[in-house]
Amino acid sequence: MSAAAGEELLDLARTVGLEAAELVRSTRPVGRVDVAATKSSPTDVVTEIDKACERLIRDRLLAERPHDGFMGEESDELVGSSGVDWIVDPIDGTVNFIHGIPAYAVSIGVRHDGRMLAGYVVNIATGEEWGAVLGSGAWRYVGDDRVVLLAPEAAPLARAVVASGFHYVREIRAKQAAAMAAFLPQVADIRRTGSAALNLCALAEGQFDMYFEEGLHLWDQAAGGLVATESGLVVTGLDGEPDERMVMAAHPAMAEEYFALVRACGF
Ligand code: IPD
């Protein structure tokens, strides 16, 4: 598929993403949001607003493109026939959303024949937006203008500010805590901001030197991962493609050193 087709799909992702973000903003009550259900663990939660947001995105996308596939965090997978799949997290950073911490995002990725083609992320609380098209770069939107993102070189390990996150499952968190105890003294500091999509966009802008996390689903990282790679970052897994086992992202100049440390610490 051409870059022009990627742009068209990105435009649709942005139109629908902005509508979805507005739905969440306008229905979120002041204070804490009620949890509707739990998923993989008592701390892996979903709200009625997550579900309504995904319904809106799914309905709008499939109304425009009825032959596409759809994979979302809150609904059953739909297999399409066009070769295009939408990979959607209606609210990435649900825990932040529930608590009112302003870092939660609509994340919409577009895959064509198994390869990420376009990605769109909007921070629902702040309105900040990012986009990327395969081979055409990554940018932050300022109004309708695009500020192109070229990820800055990362700092040496001892000065690195590293973003990460922790699993919802208790036993895996215990293992991660031990690995983090080995990792933390080797770098300047870590941040846990609670949205994988926003972490990847922030990394592309230079807020962090590296991001890694174990246990992400495809919808958490599909759109942000393309923003990161199109800004010039390396995004990989423990031994090959990024997957649920591990997503690691950093500037190519430091990537090998950073990633080797993650492995050595036992993540
Ligand atoms: C979560 C966020 C969080 C990460 C979790 C994800 P959700 O997504 O991206 O930062 O640590 O692993 O599951 O559940 O809020 O959509």
Side-chain angles (χ1 to χ4, degrees):
M1 223 178 219
S2 65
E7 285 283 349
E8 238 175 71
L9 294 168
L10 179 68
D11 280 351
L12 177 58
R14 186 176 185 218
T15 304
V16 172
L18 286 172
E19 192 185 345
E22 183 48 36
L23 170 86
V24 175
R25 246 191 316 269
S26 60
T27 48
R28 189 189 186 286
V30 172
R32 283 269 174 111
V33 175
D34 289 337
V35 170
T38 59
K39 297 186 283 187
S40 62
S41 83
T43 52
D44 184 4
V45 289
V46 61
T47 70
E48 290 302 339
I49 302 177
D50 288 76
K51 294 187 201 168
C53 183
E54 182 157 322
R55 265 196 309 275
L56 181 148
I57 296 171
R58 188 175 170 125
D59 290 353
R60 295 285 189 278
L61 291 175
L62 295 179
E64 287 291 323
R65 299 186 49 92
H67 304 297
D68 291 354
F70 186 94
M71 182 195 290
E73 181 168 16
E74 315 301 348
S75 58
D76 292 337
E77 185 172 352
L78 176 75
V79 177
S81 57
S82 65
V84 170
D85 298 308
W86 297 88
I87 300 164
V88 171
D89 194 340
I91 304 182
D92 182 60
T94 305
V95 174
N96 286 345
F97 169 68
I98 288 169
H99 289 252
I101 300 164
Y104 45 93
V106 174
S107 169
I108 303 181
V110 189
R111 192 173 60 183
H112 178 246
D113 285 345
R115 195 153 182 221
M116 290 310 302
L117 178 65
Y120 174 74
V121 176
V122 54
N123 181 333
I124 299 166
T126 65
E128 295 160 294
E129 302 171 85
W130 296 267
V133 171
L134 181 67
S136 301
W139 48 86
R140 183 203 271 250
Y141 290 95
V142 176
D144 285 332
D145 293 336
R146 296 172 170 191
V147 178
V148 172
L149 298 180
L150 293 176
E153 268 212 28
L157 268 180
R159 285 198 285 111
V161 175
V162 178
S164 191
F166 303 104
H167 210 275
Y168 287 122
V169 174
R170 203 163 169 262
E171 295 68 30
I172 300 177
R173 293 170 75 86
K175 196 199 82 185
Q176 289 176 323
M180 196 51 95
F183 184 86
L184 187 53
Q186 312 295 327
V187 297
D189 213 339
I190 59 158
R191 295 287 183 273
R192 199 287 192 247
T193 56
S195 160
L198 292 176
N199 280 336
L200 286 158
C201 295
L203 185 71
E205 292 200 355
Q207 287 183 16
F208 312 123
D209 294 290
M210 178 196 181
Y211 168 63
F212 73 94
E213 185 161 351
E214 175 183 357
L216 293 180
H217 295 285
L218 185 55
W219 48 74
D220 297 315
Q221 46 116 347
L226 190 67
V227 171
T229 52
E230 284 296 318
S231 75
L233 296 164
V234 180
V235 182
T236 187
L238 277 183
D239 36 31
E241 290 296 297
D243 56 16
E244 283 199 26
R245 175 81 184 80
M246 179 61 75
V247 175
M248 306 189 275
H251 190 280
M254 286 302 293
E256 272 325 306
E257 207 174 316
Y258 286 180
F259 299 167
L261 179 63
V262 172
R263 292 188 190 97
C265 290
F267 281 100

